[in-house]
Amino acid sequence: MSLENIELRGEVESYVESHLLPIKPSHTHAYDNSTKNGLPMIAVSPVQGQFISMLAKLGGARNILEVGTLGGYSSIWFAEAVHGKGKVTSIEIDEHNRQVAIDNLQHAGVKVPEEVEPILGAGLDVLPKLVAEIQEGKREPFDFVFIDADWDNQWNYFDYGVKVARGKGSVVYVDNVVREMFESGVVGNEEREKDACDLVAKVGRDDRVDSVVLQTVGAKSYDGFLMALVK
Ligand SMILES: C[S@@+](CC[C@H](N)C(=O)[O-])C[C@H]1O[C@@H](n2cnc3c(N)ncnc32)[C@H](O)[C@@H]1O
């Protein structure tokens, strides 16, 4: 076993996908239709989709919040995880992306907005409104918060993620934190950006959660996510 095998990560992912992930035409359509409509290929991979969906099921999540919808690919996975018992709320800043997501969700048989509610707006505008609605009893708190939008606001989204969480045992998951660490120079050889947000250090000082970062390697890249469990 050696690190040289890392070159085989694409092959491993294809092998895993072909054996563990049944081909779902609605998933393939979401990817293809997003590309056809000019969306970038930055959705979670099928393997990661299966993983986050399993995590949500493991925790018995009923109500899921996502920041960063893109073409709704991860929303489709989450909708399947909470099918018949809950709902996904997803925030997207770009109107075109949101419309493609709605098309993809409906093509996958997901009811919009009953099963997935796509909200148009900037995360930092929408999240305070969700906090207020939860406090006023107009909206249920969230069991699982998936943060997958702009990296500059990761800490603010995380902070709101904990505020909108149901409570003990709720999960806040931030994607791409390892790539962000390298690109902002928090770890590695890049010069550290002046306003680099050290999400991991901030979360480490946050008494509201227990958390971990898991490094991942897949066909696309070497990356990793942060997962926090609300105490
Ligand atoms: C990585 S993509 C999301 C991928 C999606 N979760 C998936 O896996 O299918 C990031 C999305 O966040 C959106 N976004 C960027 N900045 C945002 C902001 N400030 N508020 C809300 N969404 C934002 C982008 O337009 C883009 O569609």
Side-chain angles (χ1 to χ4, degrees):
M1 179 59 75
S2 98
L3 216 50
E4 285 158 30
N5 288 333
I6 210 155
E7 286 174 10
L8 300 176
R9 65 194 189 280
E11 220 173 290
V12 171
E13 192 156 322
S14 303
Y15 181 83
V16 169
E17 248 184 76
S18 68
H19 289 282
L20 300 184
L21 299 188
I23 294 172
K24 297 188 181 180
S26 56
H27 289 206
T28 313
H29 174 269
Y31 252 113
D32 293 350
N33 189 47
S34 297
T35 312
K36 201 175 98 193
N37 280 281
L39 271 55
M41 292 285 288
I42 52 174
V44 295
S45 67
V47 170
Q48 197 187 356
Q50 170 88 314
F51 178 66
I52 55 177
S53 163
M54 284 169 80
L55 270 183
K57 285 183 192 164
L58 262 175
R62 284 188 288 122
N63 217 17
I64 296 180
L65 174 66
E66 178 177 59
V67 188
T69 317
L70 191 68
Y73 184 70
S74 51
S75 315
I76 292 174
W77 277 104
F78 282 134
E80 287 168 2
V82 299
H83 185 69
K85 55 180 178 165
K87 166 179 161 173
V88 180
T89 303
S90 188
I91 307 170
E92 171 58 49
I93 198 168
D94 185 287
E95 200 166 351
H96 174 64
N97 292 357
R98 177 177 176 270
Q99 189 51 56
V100 174
I102 292 172
D103 295 346
N104 289 340
L105 286 158
Q106 288 175 335
H107 186 275
V110 177
K111 292 192 189 102
V112 179
E114 296 87 346
E115 293 175 323
V116 174
E117 179 188 358
I119 302 181
L120 181 64
L124 291 184
D125 292 337
V126 177
L127 285 160
K129 291 180 190 154
L130 297 184
V131 173
E133 287 175 17
I134 291 167
Q135 283 168 353
E136 290 161 14
K138 292 181 185 157
R139 186 181 280 275
E140 267 198 63
F142 296 97
D143 309 290
F144 194 100
V145 179
F146 181 64
I147 297 167
D148 191 19
D150 51 320
W151 295 356
D152 289 346
N153 286 313
Q154 275 178 338
W155 164 252
N156 293 321
Y157 296 150
F158 180 87
D159 185 39
Y160 274 113
V162 179
K163 286 180 186 152
V164 298
R166 191 180 298 278
K168 191 171 160 60
S170 301
V171 171
V172 182
Y173 180 115
V174 191
D175 208 13
N176 307 126
V177 295
V178 170
R179 264 169 57 206
E180 212 277 334
M181 276 185 220
F182 292 130
E183 291 190 17
S184 63
V186 167
V187 172
N189 301 326
E190 293 291 319
E191 192 178 331
R192 190 181 167 119
E193 290 170 3
K194 259 200 213 110
D195 54 353
C197 151
D198 193 346
L199 177 77
V200 176
K202 282 187 170 168
V203 172
R205 292 191 293 269
D206 190 335
D207 286 339
R208 300 173 297 175
V209 293
D210 289 319
S211 40
V212 71
V213 168
L214 203 63
Q215 298 180 71
T216 56
V217 59
K220 278 201 283 192
S221 67
Y222 160 42
D223 203 340
F225 60 87
L226 178 144
M227 192 170 83
L229 208 54
V230 177
K231 289 187 199 168

